[in-house]
Amino acid sequence: MSGNALIISPQTIPDRFVSVISGLCRVAADLSLTIARGSLGQSLGAAVGQNADGDGQKALDVLADEAFSAVLKDCSVRWYASEEQEEVIELDPSGTFALAIDPLDGSSNIDVNVSIGTIFSIYEAYEDPIQSFLRKASDQIAAGYFIYGPQTALVVTFGAGVLHFTLHPESRCFELANSSVNVPARSSEYAINASNYRHWSQPVRAFIDDCIAGSEGPRDKEFNMRWIASLVAETHRIMSRGGVFLYPSDGRAGYENGRLRMVYECAPIAMLIEQAGGGATDGCDAILGQSAASLHARTPFVFGSLEKVERVAAYHDLPENEVSALFGSRGLFRA
Ligand code: AHG
Ligand code: MN
Ligand code: MN
């Protein structure tokens, strides 16, 4: 690992966040080099154990978690909550932030050279470590992600719009690329792991059935589908060209609340998406109005272009016979 990545436009970052964002950027720039080396360096995708939630851990999950927690000790972070740690860790007793992190999102894509990322969420620290995170998602004071892809980028909000920085590969500085990211209001693209179709609820099936039926169904238009299996990569695409992402609850054991975790995946993505003018719900209600019941709690998650997220919620309000009927009857949803 090497280097001192800086944000080239510190005036775009509120003063009190400069240190923590610079720390995150330093680690992200190093990770981006490690990821680019791939198998020429250490084995990043090797299975090394299980995290608190029973998910398999890969070498890069652990390496990223260690690198972030080490650097954030000096960045005013009091409480550190990570996907890779069962409990909240105290980093700096005099710090004022509580920071939650998914150090490496999309770990199934590490070995196949597909975009992966880091997601983070920042609150004002309370005295109590757990209560600093089990609170309304709307209490977040900052949220963001790094994407490690063809370009490495930081997309971040401090509660007043969304900023996009790109890591310059030679200077190793994150340079401001867009000071006002907006999710397009309309789009005809959806993202869902369709192999779970048979496990979904009727409203989710009905929404997807109507997309698949295209111009021959009640929506009377064609749709396109994507599934990358990296939440960060899906978010980045939706930030760029709109669309909707769904990871609903389903009938499989352990998926009663979907797959994604509230504290360090859904809450920060929801804040970013809403700050960019999109919507984020659990299928029906806004994520930002909710709080996690436990540190690693999961929630169904639907986010993206506002019109589409509202439409998914409307399918949940349809009477039973409407969602179980063939698409021809859902005249309410034409176009
Ligand atoms: P993580 O690698 O942090 O465990 O997160 C993986 C998540 C998310 O990135 C992605 O959207 C989803 O899991 C993919 O789920 P499926 O494998 O069920 O498609
Ligand atoms: Mn993740
Ligand atoms: Mn992860």
Short mmCIF file of all heavy atoms in Angstrom, two decimals, residues 249-308:
data_model
loop_
_atom_site.label_atom_id
_atom_site.label_comp_id
_atom_site.label_asym_id
_atom_site.label_seq_id
_atom_site.Cartn_x
_atom_site.Cartn_y
_atom_site.Cartn_z
N SER A 249 -37.99 -8.64 0.00
CA SER A 249 -38.06 -9.83 0.85
C SER A 249 -38.52 -10.98 -0.04
O SER A 249 -39.17 -10.75 -1.07
CB SER A 249 -39.05 -9.61 1.98
OG SER A 249 -40.29 -9.23 1.44
N ASP A 250 -38.19 -12.20 0.33
CA ASP A 250 -38.72 -13.32 -0.45
C ASP A 250 -38.90 -14.54 0.46
O ASP A 250 -38.62 -14.49 1.65
CB ASP A 250 -37.88 -13.58 -1.71
CG ASP A 250 -36.48 -14.09 -1.46
OD1 ASP A 250 -36.34 -15.05 -0.67
OD2 ASP A 250 -35.52 -13.55 -2.06
N GLY A 251 -39.40 -15.60 -0.13
CA GLY A 251 -39.83 -16.75 0.66
C GLY A 251 -38.72 -17.68 1.12
O GLY A 251 -38.97 -18.63 1.86
N ARG A 252 -37.47 -17.42 0.75
CA ARG A 252 -36.38 -18.30 1.19
C ARG A 252 -36.08 -18.07 2.67
O ARG A 252 -36.21 -16.95 3.17
CB ARG A 252 -35.10 -18.00 0.38
CG ARG A 252 -35.17 -18.40 -1.08
CD ARG A 252 -33.95 -17.92 -1.83
NE ARG A 252 -33.91 -16.46 -1.93
CZ ARG A 252 -32.86 -15.74 -2.26
NH1 ARG A 252 -31.71 -16.34 -2.51
NH2 ARG A 252 -32.92 -14.43 -2.33
N ALA A 253 -35.65 -19.13 3.33
CA ALA A 253 -35.28 -18.98 4.74
C ALA A 253 -34.16 -17.96 4.85
O ALA A 253 -33.18 -18.01 4.09
CB ALA A 253 -34.84 -20.32 5.30
N GLY A 254 -34.30 -16.99 5.74
CA GLY A 254 -33.27 -15.97 5.94
C GLY A 254 -33.45 -14.75 5.05
O GLY A 254 -32.70 -13.78 5.17
N TYR A 255 -34.45 -14.77 4.15
CA TYR A 255 -34.67 -13.62 3.25
C TYR A 255 -35.99 -12.92 3.55
O TYR A 255 -36.54 -12.23 2.72
CB TYR A 255 -34.60 -14.06 1.78
CG TYR A 255 -33.18 -14.33 1.33
CD1 TYR A 255 -32.53 -15.51 1.68
CD2 TYR A 255 -32.47 -13.38 0.59
CE1 TYR A 255 -31.22 -15.75 1.30
CE2 TYR A 255 -31.16 -13.62 0.20
CZ TYR A 255 -30.55 -14.79 0.56
OH TYR A 255 -29.25 -15.03 0.18
N GLU A 256 -36.49 -13.11 4.78
CA GLU A 256 -37.77 -12.49 5.19
C GLU A 256 -37.68 -10.97 5.07
O GLU A 256 -38.70 -10.29 4.87
CB GLU A 256 -38.10 -12.84 6.65
CG GLU A 256 -38.30 -14.34 6.92
CD GLU A 256 -36.99 -15.11 7.08
OE1 GLU A 256 -35.90 -14.49 7.08
OE2 GLU A 256 -37.06 -16.36 7.18
N ASN A 257 -36.49 -10.42 5.22
CA ASN A 257 -36.28 -8.97 5.05
C ASN A 257 -35.30 -8.69 3.91
O ASN A 257 -34.54 -7.71 3.96
CB ASN A 257 -35.79 -8.35 6.36
CG ASN A 257 -36.88 -8.32 7.40
OD1 ASN A 257 -37.97 -7.83 7.14
ND2 ASN A 257 -36.61 -8.90 8.55
N GLY A 258 -35.31 -9.53 2.92
CA GLY A 258 -34.39 -9.34 1.81
C GLY A 258 -32.97 -9.73 2.19
O GLY A 258 -32.76 -10.55 3.09
N ARG A 259 -32.02 -9.10 1.56
CA ARG A 259 -30.62 -9.47 1.78
C ARG A 259 -29.77 -8.33 2.32
O ARG A 259 -28.80 -8.53 3.04
CB ARG A 259 -30.03 -9.95 0.44
CG ARG A 259 -28.57 -10.24 0.51
CD ARG A 259 -27.99 -10.55 -0.86
NE ARG A 259 -26.55 -10.60 -0.77
CZ ARG A 259 -25.86 -11.72 -0.74
NH1 ARG A 259 -26.46 -12.88 -0.84
NH2 ARG A 259 -24.54 -11.68 -0.64
N LEU A 260 -30.14 -7.11 1.96
CA LEU A 260 -29.23 -5.99 2.21
C LEU A 260 -29.42 -5.42 3.60
O LEU A 260 -30.51 -5.43 4.17
CB LEU A 260 -29.45 -4.92 1.14
CG LEU A 260 -29.15 -5.46 -0.27
CD1 LEU A 260 -29.57 -4.46 -1.33
CD2 LEU A 260 -27.67 -5.78 -0.41
N ARG A 261 -28.33 -4.93 4.17
CA ARG A 261 -28.31 -4.48 5.56
C ARG A 261 -28.65 -2.98 5.66
O ARG A 261 -28.20 -2.18 4.86
CB ARG A 261 -26.93 -4.74 6.18
CG ARG A 261 -26.75 -6.15 6.72
CD ARG A 261 -26.87 -7.24 5.70
NE ARG A 261 -25.94 -7.14 4.59
CZ ARG A 261 -24.80 -7.81 4.50
NH1 ARG A 261 -24.46 -8.66 5.42
NH2 ARG A 261 -24.04 -7.67 3.44
N MET A 262 -29.46 -2.66 6.65
CA MET A 262 -29.97 -1.29 6.83
C MET A 262 -28.85 -0.30 7.12
O MET A 262 -28.74 0.75 6.47
CB MET A 262 -30.98 -1.29 7.99
CG MET A 262 -31.56 0.07 8.27
SD MET A 262 -32.62 0.61 6.92
CE MET A 262 -33.30 2.08 7.65
N VAL A 263 -27.99 -0.63 8.12
CA VAL A 263 -27.11 0.40 8.68
C VAL A 263 -26.02 0.83 7.70
O VAL A 263 -25.75 2.03 7.56
CB VAL A 263 -26.51 -0.08 10.03
CG1 VAL A 263 -25.40 0.86 10.51
CG2 VAL A 263 -27.59 -0.20 11.08
N TYR A 264 -25.38 -0.13 7.02
CA TYR A 264 -24.22 0.26 6.20
C TYR A 264 -24.43 -0.01 4.71
O TYR A 264 -23.49 0.12 3.93
CB TYR A 264 -22.94 -0.44 6.71
CG TYR A 264 -23.14 -1.88 7.13
CD1 TYR A 264 -23.19 -2.88 6.19
CD2 TYR A 264 -23.31 -2.21 8.47
CE1 TYR A 264 -23.39 -4.20 6.55
CE2 TYR A 264 -23.52 -3.53 8.86
CZ TYR A 264 -23.56 -4.52 7.89
OH TYR A 264 -23.77 -5.83 8.26
N GLU A 265 -25.65 -0.42 4.31
CA GLU A 265 -25.93 -0.52 2.87
C GLU A 265 -27.13 0.38 2.50
O GLU A 265 -26.99 1.34 1.74
CB GLU A 265 -26.19 -1.98 2.46
CG GLU A 265 -24.93 -2.84 2.54
CD GLU A 265 -25.11 -4.30 2.15
OE1 GLU A 265 -26.12 -4.92 2.56
OE2 GLU A 265 -24.24 -4.84 1.46
N CYS A 266 -28.30 0.07 3.06
CA CYS A 266 -29.53 0.74 2.58
C CYS A 266 -29.64 2.19 3.07
O CYS A 266 -30.02 3.07 2.28
CB CYS A 266 -30.75 -0.07 2.99
SG CYS A 266 -30.65 -1.76 2.38
N ALA A 267 -29.33 2.45 4.34
CA ALA A 267 -29.48 3.84 4.83
C ALA A 267 -28.60 4.81 4.04
O ALA A 267 -29.10 5.85 3.57
CB ALA A 267 -29.20 3.91 6.34
N PRO A 268 -27.29 4.51 3.88
CA PRO A 268 -26.48 5.48 3.12
C PRO A 268 -26.89 5.61 1.65
O PRO A 268 -26.93 6.73 1.12
CB PRO A 268 -25.05 4.95 3.25
CG PRO A 268 -25.16 3.56 3.80
CD PRO A 268 -26.47 3.48 4.52
N ILE A 269 -27.24 4.48 1.01
CA ILE A 269 -27.66 4.58 -0.40
C ILE A 269 -28.96 5.39 -0.48
O ILE A 269 -29.15 6.21 -1.38
CB ILE A 269 -27.82 3.18 -1.05
CG1 ILE A 269 -26.49 2.41 -1.04
CG2 ILE A 269 -28.38 3.30 -2.47
CD1 ILE A 269 -25.38 2.99 -1.85
N ALA A 270 -29.86 5.18 0.48
CA ALA A 270 -31.13 5.91 0.48
C ALA A 270 -30.89 7.41 0.62
O ALA A 270 -31.52 8.23 -0.06
CB ALA A 270 -32.04 5.41 1.61
N MET A 271 -29.96 7.80 1.51
CA MET A 271 -29.68 9.23 1.68
C MET A 271 -29.12 9.82 0.38
O MET A 271 -29.55 10.89 -0.08
CB MET A 271 -28.69 9.46 2.82
CG MET A 271 -28.40 10.94 3.06
SD MET A 271 -27.23 11.22 4.41
CE MET A 271 -27.22 13.02 4.49
N LEU A 272 -28.18 9.11 -0.23
CA LEU A 272 -27.60 9.59 -1.49
C LEU A 272 -28.67 9.74 -2.57
O LEU A 272 -28.74 10.76 -3.26
CB LEU A 272 -26.54 8.60 -1.99
CG LEU A 272 -25.18 8.64 -1.30
CD1 LEU A 272 -24.41 7.36 -1.60
CD2 LEU A 272 -24.38 9.86 -1.75
N ILE A 273 -29.48 8.70 -2.72
CA ILE A 273 -30.48 8.70 -3.79
C ILE A 273 -31.50 9.81 -3.58
O ILE A 273 -31.88 10.53 -4.51
CB ILE A 273 -31.16 7.30 -3.88
CG1 ILE A 273 -30.16 6.26 -4.43
CG2 ILE A 273 -32.43 7.36 -4.72
CD1 ILE A 273 -29.90 6.33 -5.92
N GLU A 274 -31.94 9.99 -2.33
CA GLU A 274 -32.92 11.07 -2.08
C GLU A 274 -32.28 12.44 -2.31
O GLU A 274 -32.91 13.34 -2.84
CB GLU A 274 -33.51 10.96 -0.67
CG GLU A 274 -34.51 9.82 -0.57
CD GLU A 274 -35.66 10.11 0.40
OE1 GLU A 274 -35.74 11.23 0.93
OE2 GLU A 274 -36.47 9.19 0.61
N GLN A 275 -31.02 12.57 -1.90
CA GLN A 275 -30.33 13.85 -2.13
C GLN A 275 -30.16 14.13 -3.62
O GLN A 275 -30.00 15.28 -4.01
CB GLN A 275 -28.97 13.85 -1.43
CG GLN A 275 -29.06 14.05 0.08
CD GLN A 275 -29.54 15.44 0.45
OE1 GLN A 275 -29.18 16.42 -0.20
NE2 GLN A 275 -30.36 15.54 1.49
N ALA A 276 -30.17 13.06 -4.42
CA ALA A 276 -30.05 13.24 -5.88
C ALA A 276 -31.41 13.28 -6.55
O ALA A 276 -31.50 13.19 -7.78
CB ALA A 276 -29.18 12.12 -6.47
N GLY A 277 -32.48 13.36 -5.75
CA GLY A 277 -33.81 13.53 -6.33
C GLY A 277 -34.55 12.24 -6.62
O GLY A 277 -35.64 12.26 -7.21
N GLY A 278 -33.99 11.10 -6.22
CA GLY A 278 -34.67 9.82 -6.43
C GLY A 278 -35.45 9.40 -5.20
O GLY A 278 -35.63 10.18 -4.26
N GLY A 279 -35.90 8.15 -5.20
CA GLY A 279 -36.66 7.61 -4.07
C GLY A 279 -36.02 6.32 -3.57
O GLY A 279 -35.33 5.62 -4.31
N ALA A 280 -36.26 6.01 -2.27
CA ALA A 280 -35.71 4.78 -1.68
C ALA A 280 -36.68 4.30 -0.60
O ALA A 280 -36.95 5.03 0.36
CB ALA A 280 -34.33 5.05 -1.07
N THR A 281 -37.19 3.08 -0.77
CA THR A 281 -38.18 2.53 0.16
C THR A 281 -37.84 1.08 0.49
O THR A 281 -36.92 0.50 -0.08
CB THR A 281 -39.60 2.54 -0.46
OG1 THR A 281 -39.63 1.56 -1.52
CG2 THR A 281 -39.98 3.89 -1.03
N ASP A 282 -38.65 0.52 1.40
CA ASP A 282 -38.57 -0.92 1.63
C ASP A 282 -39.57 -1.65 0.73
O ASP A 282 -39.94 -2.78 0.99
CB ASP A 282 -38.83 -1.23 3.12
CG ASP A 282 -40.21 -0.78 3.56
OD1 ASP A 282 -41.00 -0.28 2.72
OD2 ASP A 282 -40.53 -0.93 4.75
N GLY A 283 -40.02 -1.00 -0.30
CA GLY A 283 -41.07 -1.51 -1.18
C GLY A 283 -42.29 -0.61 -1.04
O GLY A 283 -42.96 -0.32 -2.02
N CYS A 284 -42.54 -0.15 0.20
CA CYS A 284 -43.71 0.70 0.48
C CYS A 284 -43.32 2.03 1.11
O CYS A 284 -43.71 3.08 0.63
CB CYS A 284 -44.66 -0.03 1.43
SG CYS A 284 -45.26 -1.60 0.79
N ASP A 285 -42.55 1.97 2.21
CA ASP A 285 -42.27 3.17 3.00
C ASP A 285 -40.81 3.62 2.86
O ASP A 285 -39.92 2.79 2.68
CB ASP A 285 -42.58 2.91 4.48
CG ASP A 285 -44.05 2.54 4.66
OD1 ASP A 285 -44.90 3.22 4.07
OD2 ASP A 285 -44.32 1.54 5.36
N ALA A 286 -40.61 4.94 3.03
CA ALA A 286 -39.27 5.51 2.86
C ALA A 286 -38.28 4.91 3.85
O ALA A 286 -38.58 4.79 5.05
CB ALA A 286 -39.33 7.02 3.03
N ILE A 287 -37.12 4.54 3.37
CA ILE A 287 -36.05 4.01 4.23
C ILE A 287 -35.61 5.09 5.22
O ILE A 287 -35.31 4.79 6.38
CB ILE A 287 -34.84 3.56 3.35
CG1 ILE A 287 -35.20 2.30 2.57
CG2 ILE A 287 -33.57 3.39 4.19
CD1 ILE A 287 -35.30 1.01 3.36
N LEU A 288 -35.56 6.35 4.80
CA LEU A 288 -35.04 7.40 5.69
C LEU A 288 -35.92 7.61 6.92
O LEU A 288 -35.45 8.19 7.90
CB LEU A 288 -34.84 8.71 4.92
CG LEU A 288 -33.70 8.70 3.89
CD1 LEU A 288 -33.52 10.08 3.27
CD2 LEU A 288 -32.38 8.23 4.51
N GLY A 289 -37.15 7.14 6.90
CA GLY A 289 -38.02 7.26 8.07
C GLY A 289 -37.88 6.09 9.03
O GLY A 289 -38.57 6.03 10.04
N GLN A 290 -36.99 5.15 8.73
CA GLN A 290 -36.91 3.92 9.52
C GLN A 290 -35.57 3.80 10.23
O GLN A 290 -34.60 4.45 9.85
CB GLN A 290 -37.11 2.72 8.59
CG GLN A 290 -38.44 2.79 7.86
CD GLN A 290 -38.66 1.63 6.91
OE1 GLN A 290 -38.30 0.50 7.23
NE2 GLN A 290 -39.23 1.91 5.77
N SER A 291 -35.54 2.94 11.26
CA SER A 291 -34.27 2.68 11.93
C SER A 291 -34.08 1.17 12.03
O SER A 291 -35.05 0.41 12.01
CB SER A 291 -34.24 3.32 13.31
OG SER A 291 -35.49 3.18 13.93
N ALA A 292 -32.83 0.76 12.15
CA ALA A 292 -32.53 -0.67 12.22
C ALA A 292 -32.82 -1.18 13.63
O ALA A 292 -32.62 -0.47 14.61
CB ALA A 292 -31.05 -0.90 11.89
N ALA A 293 -33.28 -2.43 13.72
CA ALA A 293 -33.55 -3.04 15.02
C ALA A 293 -32.27 -3.58 15.64
O ALA A 293 -32.15 -3.71 16.85
CB ALA A 293 -34.57 -4.15 14.87
N SER A 294 -31.29 -3.90 14.81
CA SER A 294 -29.99 -4.37 15.30
C SER A 294 -28.93 -3.98 14.27
O SER A 294 -29.25 -3.62 13.14
CB SER A 294 -30.01 -5.89 15.50
OG SER A 294 -30.25 -6.52 14.26
N LEU A 295 -27.68 -4.07 14.68
CA LEU A 295 -26.58 -3.55 13.86
C LEU A 295 -26.54 -4.15 12.45
O LEU A 295 -26.26 -3.47 11.48
CB LEU A 295 -25.26 -3.82 14.58
CG LEU A 295 -24.08 -2.95 14.25
CD1 LEU A 295 -24.43 -1.48 14.38
CD2 LEU A 295 -22.90 -3.32 15.17
N HIS A 296 -26.81 -5.46 12.36
CA HIS A 296 -26.69 -6.14 11.07
C HIS A 296 -28.06 -6.48 10.48
O HIS A 296 -28.16 -7.35 9.61
CB HIS A 296 -25.81 -7.38 11.22
CG HIS A 296 -24.41 -7.07 11.69
ND1 HIS A 296 -23.44 -6.54 10.86
CD2 HIS A 296 -23.83 -7.15 12.91
CE1 HIS A 296 -22.32 -6.34 11.55
NE2 HIS A 296 -22.53 -6.71 12.81
N ALA A 297 -29.11 -5.78 10.93
CA ALA A 297 -30.47 -6.08 10.46
C ALA A 297 -30.60 -5.82 8.97
O ALA A 297 -29.99 -4.90 8.42
CB ALA A 297 -31.47 -5.23 11.22
N ARG A 298 -31.43 -6.64 8.33
CA ARG A 298 -31.68 -6.49 6.88
C ARG A 298 -32.99 -5.77 6.64
O ARG A 298 -33.85 -5.73 7.51
CB ARG A 298 -31.73 -7.88 6.23
CG ARG A 298 -30.38 -8.58 6.32
CD ARG A 298 -30.46 -10.06 5.99
NE ARG A 298 -29.25 -10.71 6.46
CZ ARG A 298 -28.26 -11.13 5.67
NH1 ARG A 298 -28.35 -10.98 4.36
NH2 ARG A 298 -27.18 -11.69 6.17
N THR A 299 -33.14 -5.25 5.44
CA THR A 299 -34.42 -4.64 5.04
C THR A 299 -34.63 -4.86 3.55
O THR A 299 -33.66 -4.82 2.78
CB THR A 299 -34.47 -3.12 5.36
OG1 THR A 299 -35.73 -2.60 4.89
CG2 THR A 299 -33.37 -2.34 4.68
N PRO A 300 -35.88 -5.09 3.13
CA PRO A 300 -36.16 -5.07 1.70
C PRO A 300 -35.78 -3.68 1.17
O PRO A 300 -35.91 -2.69 1.91
CB PRO A 300 -37.67 -5.29 1.61
CG PRO A 300 -38.10 -5.77 2.95
CD PRO A 300 -37.10 -5.28 3.95
N PHE A 301 -35.34 -3.60 -0.08
CA PHE A 301 -34.82 -2.32 -0.56
C PHE A 301 -35.23 -2.10 -2.02
O PHE A 301 -35.02 -2.98 -2.87
CB PHE A 301 -33.29 -2.34 -0.44
CG PHE A 301 -32.63 -0.99 -0.53
CD1 PHE A 301 -33.29 0.18 -0.16
CD2 PHE A 301 -31.31 -0.88 -0.97
CE1 PHE A 301 -32.67 1.41 -0.22
CE2 PHE A 301 -30.67 0.35 -1.04
CZ PHE A 301 -31.35 1.50 -0.67
N VAL A 302 -35.82 -0.95 -2.27
CA VAL A 302 -36.20 -0.53 -3.63
C VAL A 302 -35.76 0.92 -3.77
O VAL A 302 -36.10 1.75 -2.93
CB VAL A 302 -37.73 -0.62 -3.83
CG1 VAL A 302 -38.13 -0.07 -5.20
CG2 VAL A 302 -38.22 -2.06 -3.67
N PHE A 303 -34.97 1.22 -4.79
CA PHE A 303 -34.56 2.63 -4.95
C PHE A 303 -34.30 2.95 -6.40
O PHE A 303 -34.10 2.06 -7.23
CB PHE A 303 -33.30 2.93 -4.11
CG PHE A 303 -32.04 2.30 -4.64
CD1 PHE A 303 -31.25 2.94 -5.59
CD2 PHE A 303 -31.63 1.05 -4.21
CE1 PHE A 303 -30.09 2.37 -6.08
CE2 PHE A 303 -30.47 0.46 -4.69
CZ PHE A 303 -29.70 1.12 -5.62
N GLY A 304 -34.29 4.25 -6.69
CA GLY A 304 -33.97 4.71 -8.04
C GLY A 304 -34.81 5.89 -8.45
O GLY A 304 -35.18 6.73 -7.62
N SER A 305 -35.15 5.93 -9.75
CA SER A 305 -35.95 7.04 -10.29
C SER A 305 -37.28 7.10 -9.54
O SER A 305 -37.94 6.08 -9.34
CB SER A 305 -36.20 6.82 -11.78
OG SER A 305 -34.98 6.79 -12.48
N LEU A 306 -37.64 8.31 -9.14
CA LEU A 306 -38.79 8.50 -8.24
C LEU A 306 -40.07 7.86 -8.79
O LEU A 306 -40.78 7.13 -8.08
CB LEU A 306 -39.01 10.00 -8.05
CG LEU A 306 -39.82 10.42 -6.84
CD1 LEU A 306 -39.30 9.77 -5.56
CD2 LEU A 306 -39.80 11.94 -6.71
N GLU A 307 -40.32 8.08 -10.06
CA GLU A 307 -41.57 7.57 -10.67
C GLU A 307 -41.63 6.05 -10.54
O GLU A 307 -42.68 5.48 -10.24
CB GLU A 307 -41.60 8.03 -12.13
CG GLU A 307 -42.77 7.55 -12.95
CD GLU A 307 -42.51 6.25 -13.71
OE1 GLU A 307 -41.35 5.95 -14.08
OE2 GLU A 307 -43.49 5.52 -13.92
N LYS A 308 -40.51 5.38 -10.69
CA LYS A 308 -40.51 3.91 -10.65
C LYS A 308 -40.65 3.40 -9.22
O LYS A 308 -41.33 2.40 -8.96
CB LYS A 308 -39.22 3.37 -11.26
CG LYS A 308 -39.21 3.42 -12.77
CD LYS A 308 -38.02 2.64 -13.31
CE LYS A 308 -38.37 1.57 -14.30
NZ LYS A 308 -39.49 1.81 -15.16
#
